[in-house]
Structure formats: C-alpha cells, structure tokens
C-alpha cells in the first residue's frame, strides 16, 4: 500500500505512455503504470512489465529515472527502480513484486522506501525503561 501522505510532484508532468527504442527494431509503445521494475546493467537496462514481458534498452537507468513519477516509482537499490504500487511483500533486505520476482533493497534506500509504504499491525515500540 502506498502512503498518500507524501506530496506528489504535481508541478511536473510525467508521461503515461512511452516508446521504447531498440537498435533497428522500431519502437514499442508501453504504458508506464504497467512497468513492474527496471534493472540497471552498466550502460543498459531491462524494463520488466507487470505481465512478465521484458525489454532491453541501450541507455543507462538514470536516463529513465528522471522521467518517472517519484510518487509511483522509487529507486530501492543502485540497480533497481520499482513501481511502488506493484510491491506485494516487504522484507528487510528485499521486496517481492506482484510478478513474484524478488528485488533487493539497498541499505542506503531502505528508510526512504519504508517512509513511502504504509504498515498496519505493527506496534509502536517504546524505549521507556522500567516497564514490565
């Protein structure tokens, strides 16, 4: 569940549809909200869709990251950007997407990710000493 208390970036328009360009193979139209996650591979990246199809792009992930709405997409590892609405399970070191894929959460990104997610059923722990 995505925490809607965060301010959305409404001052900038983000595309809903993009065309993925491959060398000499034309351009494939995709809907941004259908992206499950993006994986960086040096100067290339893979775009994984919610229907489990994938597309190879010959551009660095940073080129794509700047065009994604930060209210929906978040970098959770130096090699991964995920669609926050498609996270099915959160664990300390990784998330599981609705596609069943396990994606690592980097130490530097963990707290920011937890701030975007809403957790129920978790007790607030007190550091008061002397309680039984």
């Amino acid at each position: 569940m995505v925490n809607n208390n965060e301010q959305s970036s409404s001052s900038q328009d983000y595309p809903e549809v993009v065309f993925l360009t491959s060398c000499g193979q034309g351009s494939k139209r995709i809907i941004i909200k259908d992206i499950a996650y993006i994986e960086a591979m040096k100067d290339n990246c893979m775009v994984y869709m919610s229907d489990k199809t994938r597309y190879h792009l010959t551009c660095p992930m940073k080129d794509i990251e700047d065009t994604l709405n930060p209210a929906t997409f978040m970098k959770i590892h130096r090699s991964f950007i995920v669609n926050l609405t498609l996270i099915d399970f959160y664990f300390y070191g990784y998330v599981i997407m609705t596609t069943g894929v396990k994606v690592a959460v980097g130490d530097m990104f963990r707290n920011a990710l937890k701030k975007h997610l809403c957790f129920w059923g978790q007790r607030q722990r007190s550091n008061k000493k002397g309680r039984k």
Side-chain angles (χ1 to χ4, degrees):
M1 185 176 244
V2 177
N3 184 354
N4 289 327
N5 293 336
E6 298 290 323
Q7 278 190 350
S8 65
S9 302
S10 59
S11 62
Q12 181 178 351
D13 289 328
Y14 295 95
E16 293 180 13
V17 174
V18 294
F19 286 85
L20 304 179
T21 306
S22 298
C23 293
Q25 297 179 344
S27 299
K28 171 66 178 155
R29 177 184 177 270
I30 64 164
I31 300 170
I32 296 282
K33 69 177 182 164
D34 292 339
I35 296 172
Y37 65 99
I38 300 167
E39 180 179 12
M41 300 174 176
K42 295 187 181 182
D43 288 334
N44 297 301
C45 60
M46 293 294 290
V47 176
Y48 296 88
M49 306 301 290
S50 58
D51 66 0
K52 299 186 180 183
T53 57
R54 64 182 185 186
Y55 301 99
H56 177 260
L57 298 178
T58 55
C59 67
M61 188 169 73
K62 180 66 177 159
D63 291 357
I64 297 170
E65 182 178 6
D66 296 338
T67 64
L68 296 171
N69 187 339
T72 307
F73 290 91
M74 176 180 262
K75 189 171 188 174
I76 64 166
H77 186 277
R78 66 183 180 151
S79 298
F80 292 104
I81 296 172
V82 298
N83 183 333
L84 296 168
T85 65
L86 297 179
I87 293 174
D88 202 20
F89 287 96
Y90 169 83
F91 295 94
Y92 182 74
Y94 60 94
V95 295
I96 298 179
M97 306 304 293
T98 56
T99 59
V101 175
K102 183 177 173 178
V103 178
V105 177
D107 293 338
M108 293 175 21
F109 302 94
R110 186 174 297 114
N111 287 335
L113 174 61
K114 286 175 73 173
K115 286 180 184 176
H116 270 76
L117 303 176
C118 179
F119 295 92
W120 284 11
Q122 183 177 3
R123 281 189 161 170
Q124 297 298 324
R125 299 190 190 264
S126 168
N127 288 335
K128 292 181 183 178
K129 293 184 179 180
R131 291 182 66 177
K132 293 184 181 180

